[in-house]
Amino acid sequence: MEARFLSLADVTEVLQITMSQARALVRSGELKAIQIGGKGTWRVENTELEAYITRMYKRTQERIAHGGDPMADLDETAPLAEG
């Protein structure tokens, strides 16, 4: 059975981003997460991560449809949600 929740470390692996980028996504509300127990223990439900990824695909498609260059602000060090 697949785990329902992912740690932020798991999220960083899936999205191939840094921990600070993952925290920024949660802090901004772009990636929904819940705090469990003590300080710093955050979990992201699998469905929320998939919804985030779907939103990012849609955002990129909309940018392309409006004549924007989806690669114009590509920065490997920036969070995926920026743009």
Side-chain angles (χ1 to χ4, degrees):
M1 180 175 175
E2 185 178 348
R4 179 176 176 180
F5 291 95
L6 301 169
S7 67
L8 288 187
D10 295 331
V11 170
T12 66
E13 288 182 32
V14 171
L15 296 179
Q16 296 191 3
I17 60 175
T18 66
M19 183 61 77
S20 63
Q21 291 169 326
R23 286 186 183 119
L25 290 173
V26 170
R27 197 175 302 116
S28 71
E30 287 209 57
L31 179 59
K32 292 181 182 178
I34 57 174
Q35 190 172 22
I36 304 292
K39 180 179 176 182
T41 305
W42 289 90
R43 295 292 180 261
V44 176
E45 195 166 3
N46 284 321
T47 56
E48 292 297 338
L49 180 58
E50 291 303 320
Y52 170 77
I53 292 168
T54 299
R55 287 192 307 275
M56 293 303 100
Y57 274 118
K58 184 177 179 183
R59 184 180 294 180
T60 301
Q61 290 170 340
E62 289 171 353
R63 186 183 300 166
I64 292 168
H66 289 91
D69 181 355
M71 304 295 277
D73 63 348
L74 183 63
D75 178 354
E76 289 292 326
T77 63
L80 296 176
E82 290 186 357

